[in-house]
Amino acid sequence: MFRKLHDPGQAALRVYIDGVAVPAEAGESVAAVLLRQEAVWSRLTPVKGSKRAPYCLMGVCFDCLAEVDGVGSVQTCLTTVQDGMRIARQRGKRSLGA
Amino acid sequence: MKADVIVIGGGTVGAAIAYGLAQRQQHVIVLDGDDRDHRAARANFGLVWVQGKGTNMPEYQLWSRRSCERWADFSKGLLDITGQDLHLEQKGGLVFCLGDAEFEARRTTLQKLHNQLGGEPADCEMIDRSELERIMPGVAFGSEVYGASLGHRDGHANPLRLLSALHAGIQRLGGTIVSATLVEKIQSNSSGFTLGAGLENYVAPRIVIAAGLGSQKLGALVGLDVPLRPQRGQILVTERFVPILPLPCSGLRQTREGTVMIGATQEDVGLDAATTAVAAAKLSTRALRIIPALATATLVRQWAGLRVLTPDGCPVYAQSESHPGAFVALCHSGVTLAAVHAETIAQAVIDGSLPSSLDVFHQRRFDVPEAA
Amino acid sequence: MKPVDLLIVGSGPAGMAAAVTARRTGLDVLVVDEQPAPGGQIWRDIETVAGTERGTLLGAAYLDGRRAAEAFRASGAAYEPGAQLWQIEPGFRGFVTKAGEARIIEARTILLATGAQERPAPFPGWTLPGILTVGAGQILLKNAGQVPAKPVWLAGSGPLMLLYMTQLLKAGGEIAGYLDTTPPGRLSSALRYLPGALRAVGDLFKGIAWSLTLRASGVRRIRHVTDIEAVGTEHLEAIRFRTASGTEETVQADALLVHEGVIPSVHVALALGSAVTWRDDQDCYVPILDAWGESSQPNVFIAGDGAGIAGAKAAALRGEIAALGIATKLGQITPEAAAEASKPARAKLERELALRPFLDALFRPREAIFIPDDETVVCRCEEITAREIRAMARLGRPGPNQVKAFTRAGMGPCQGRQCGYTVTRILAAAEGRSVEEVGFYRIRPPLKPVTLGELASLREPEATS
């Protein structure tokens, strides 16, 4: 849905979204990376399973929640990408299983 | 405005009685307080519970049992009238014991209660860790979890759905709920009571005071002197998870929505309903000792409510001797007792007298003069 | 640990300016911010972007942030980025989570510089992926240097809308069309404030320039749009809209940016019990503050857009004034010295504020966004529609907290930041009461997400030495 205006060059790094490696740039938010993907959504709501994507990018809507490096319900718009970061879209209610 | 009965207080206790009255063809008006008043009914944990209740008054245990037995029908009735599912489950409830000392202490308490009740069959058992693991296969328990007491009559429901359904039910049955009213005056004459609230007067031959902590002041106007004190309870609720806790536990339950509720503190801090981070830390720590995986759960909300406590913690039901027709109903277990409030108490208000089986709950039990 | 003299929440224009001024008076200052770098939303990523092509593209007002950030960095204020403040208790104790650990910060005074958020403007389908706010679009431009990949639709009204569109065009982005929701007649009702606005003539020209750029670009602008509906199942597929003249149209679209102005973030202030008042002309609550920015709660100060929308320059000036007020309260400077020192800032602030009544009147949103149709989702978190809220209004005259309890609206993770106003407005309309009388949700902790593990890790600070 979004495209970068520039080539990250030196600042390029790699993150994994649902296991797939995608390029990212140092300093940008995880939500920004999600919005450059074919599928921009970040989660299915735990209420009705509706698809949601980052909406406000400033931490007040909580629709960009995803799992980041094993931690659930992270606000991806407030999280800066790190090389090798693993991002998983959240599908409905999380599991607390053993 | 005129009615057969006016109920002062639209919390779980007042609303349950009003609903029962409306079901019995009474024209009822509920005078409810302001949106920002102290409201125990909106801060409830949601247990429908008998386990361990009434160690100081066995009748309270029996009264709670009776209500739990009536709850399924009561809930079904509300569903039929309002279409609202209260998320009731009565498949038993647990009290976790961390370490063998807690386990033994729990066993002793429950045994004592059982002995007091005489011939009643046991409805609680102590279960060990392996049994717990069998009941809750999805949970990895913390190393300190030694066992639990399991109450077969216990269960839970959604307390906010209950309150909402009661309000809807009252109105569906022709009752009236007036929000944001503050009853300032109660006058009585031969034909009944006139209640003054702001510019409005409400008139009825019978009134029920079920105004939580506000009841003390109102009761005094009709010769009902009820000692009460607030006790703060703080509760945490997490984001939603796939079902993991098949049974509710004292202090830990998973709702039908999937959220996990953790509670509750017992703090004597007067009318202060503020939340504290220290309490949040304490509640979290205990919950993680039971289920360590909860460490990754996000807290969605923390709130505090003020329990309505009588000196012995047991309910008060009474009719005024100086002002017959004026009743008071108070307790801090409005969810558990909702079924009997809607049935027994509502019927007693119509009959004009409380059944003698409830004499033990009269507030005169607090009138014993202190020894010199 | 000794309590800090001043804990500042937020490092946007107000927080940074306040830190600089407070340090100058000798106060011990700690600034916490959930963002990874200083600048707030307006100057987001200013330190890394200022020297780049993107910086030039974002314009002079953005680049102003560079000097502010430099001064802040040099001020000697302690600064904790990436820190989420989830509760403040009287005393004060601020509870902060950073990198998975919770801790307590003790402070003698608090300055809330939490800025603004975009006004939630619910319409059917607004939760669909493919729809973002214009503010979000601009943050993506600042933070990631990215623009919509294909021609994008925009809908709404307000200065930020015009600014973003000019930035987007300059960056080489394409606009499919602009659904201008500014109602007819707003210009004429704004004109009576023009004489005052002329005192801020520079900004006024800027706005006119944006409009001219837009006109010159040939962007399709549909005026007086009254209703918008986003159509799609899993992603935005089309936009249906209607104008005041009754024209209806459906356009294919997979990207839509919306904006209906900004409102102060008052959640933390409300949680602390600071009194707010309803501003009818701005359709929002603003905190009640004295001349130094102190709220009704002693030693809680508020500056920046969180004190009332007025823009970055005013925010910095208010931050400076609040810092002087705080230094006076803590006995660091005399009231006379503070009065003298605040004079230049007060004079400039007056000029900045002169433009506001004109802008407020010109871009006042249409009534419909406050009181959406039955089908519209009001609470994004719990997926509660306007119909469900209205149904509650028929049960007596419930307030927002009862509606929250009965419907779950406002119980999700956003803590009512998206639905609070809408619920209040729907109830006010349905019950025939004023917004002020209906009130607002009681704000419960946590103000920001915190895990049970983080809570359990909380330790009391070491005794004061």
Side-chain angles (χ1 to χ4, degrees), chain C residues 187-207:
Chain C
L187 183 59
S188 55
S189 52
L191 281 177
R192 64 197 174 103
Y193 301 110
L194 191 61
L198 288 173
R199 300 179 57 202
V201 73
D203 285 331
L204 200 57
F205 278 139
K206 217 157 53 182

Side-chain angles (χ1 to χ4, degrees), chain C residues 3 42 45 64 69 72 95 119 126 139 163 173 228 237 245 268 276 303 306 362 378 420 463:
Chain C
I42 181 94
D45 293 276
D64 282 348
F72 170 60
F95 296 83
R119 170 181 283 121
W126 70 310
I139 287 166
L163 171 61
I228 296 167
E237 290 162 21
S245 60
V268 188
V276 297
L362 186 61
V378 166

Side-chain angles (χ1 to χ4, degrees), chain B residues 30-178:
Chain B
V30 178
L31 300 180
D32 200 6
D34 189 73
D35 195 45
R36 294 181 75 90
D37 284 353
H38 291 301
R39 287 184 177 273
R42 290 189 202 158
N44 197 287
F45 195 73
L47 296 178
V48 178
W49 204 258
V50 300
Q51 194 186 148
K53 279 184 181 167
T55 46
N56 54 346
M57 190 198 273
E59 293 83 354
Y60 178 32
Q61 164 76 211
L62 298 175
W63 181 236
S64 301
R65 284 188 183 188
R66 166 126 173 252
S67 197
C68 287
E69 282 159 11
R70 298 297 309 142
W71 238 95
D73 279 352
F74 164 71
S75 170
K76 169 85 171 37
L78 271 170
L79 175 69
D80 290 344
I81 291 173
T82 67
Q84 295 198 40
D85 179 353
L86 306 189
H87 296 178
L88 173 70
E89 278 179 19
Q90 291 181 295
K91 295 185 260 172
L94 296 165
V95 176
F96 285 110
C97 303
L98 298 175
D100 59 346
E102 268 189 37
F103 190 78
E104 288 312 319
R106 183 73 189 159
R107 185 202 299 277
T108 310
T109 306
L110 293 177
Q111 187 60 47
K112 206 171 113 194
L113 180 62
H114 177 64
N115 294 346
Q116 281 173 358
L117 289 170
E120 295 286 329
D123 57 1
C124 273
E125 61 179 309
M126 299 303 294
I127 58 173
D128 64 11
R129 184 182 169 107
S130 59
E131 179 65 8
L132 259 183
E133 284 168 341
R134 198 190 59 76
I135 297 175
M136 297 194 170
V139 182
F141 288 104
S143 59
E144 295 169 275
V145 174
Y146 192 87
S149 61
L150 168 62
H152 296 290
R153 295 173 193 267
D154 297 327
H156 60 155
N158 182 320
L160 297 176
R161 280 176 168 260
L162 167 63
L163 186 61
S164 163
L166 288 171
H167 277 222
I170 290 164
Q171 297 187 311
R172 201 70 38 94
L173 295 168
T176 304
I177 298 173
V178 190

Side-chain angles (χ1 to χ4, degrees), chain C residues 174-326:
Chain C
E174 289 176 85
I175 296 174
Y178 169 33
L179 305 177
D180 186 349
T181 60
T182 313
R186 283 295 191 260
L187 183 59
S188 55
S189 52
L191 281 177
R192 64 197 174 103
Y193 301 110
L194 191 61
L198 288 173
R199 300 179 57 202
V201 73
D203 285 331
L204 200 57
F205 278 139
K206 217 157 53 182
I208 293 166
W210 295 338
S211 293
L212 290 176
T213 309
L214 210 58
R215 192 171 299 176
S217 70
V219 165
R220 183 179 174 209
R221 179 179 192 168
I222 297 130
R223 285 178 187 273
H224 309 322
V225 171
T226 53
D227 298 281
I228 296 167
E229 183 186 350
V231 184
T233 47
E234 304 220 313
H235 192 98
L236 176 69
E237 290 162 21
I239 306 164
R240 237 180 251 151
F241 59 88
R242 190 184 304 140
T243 65
S245 60
T247 322
E248 274 190 46
E249 195 178 331
T250 302
V251 292
Q252 301 304 303
D254 68 354
L256 168 66
L257 305 183
V258 294
H259 179 77
E260 289 289 353
V262 292
I263 52 173
S265 295
V266 291
H267 258 62
V268 188
L270 289 171
L272 274 165
S274 294
V276 297
T277 182
W278 177 255
R279 282 287 299 265
D280 223 19
D281 54 340
Q282 297 176 344
D283 292 295
C284 62
Y285 281 110
V286 294
I288 299 171
L289 304 172
D290 73 4
W292 299 99
E294 190 171 14
S295 77
S296 65
Q297 289 289 345
N299 297 324
V300 175
F301 289 70
I302 304 173
D305 272 354
I309 302 301
K313 284 183 191 158
L317 296 165
R318 283 169 165 171
E320 192 182 327
I321 294 166
L324 292 169
I326 291 161

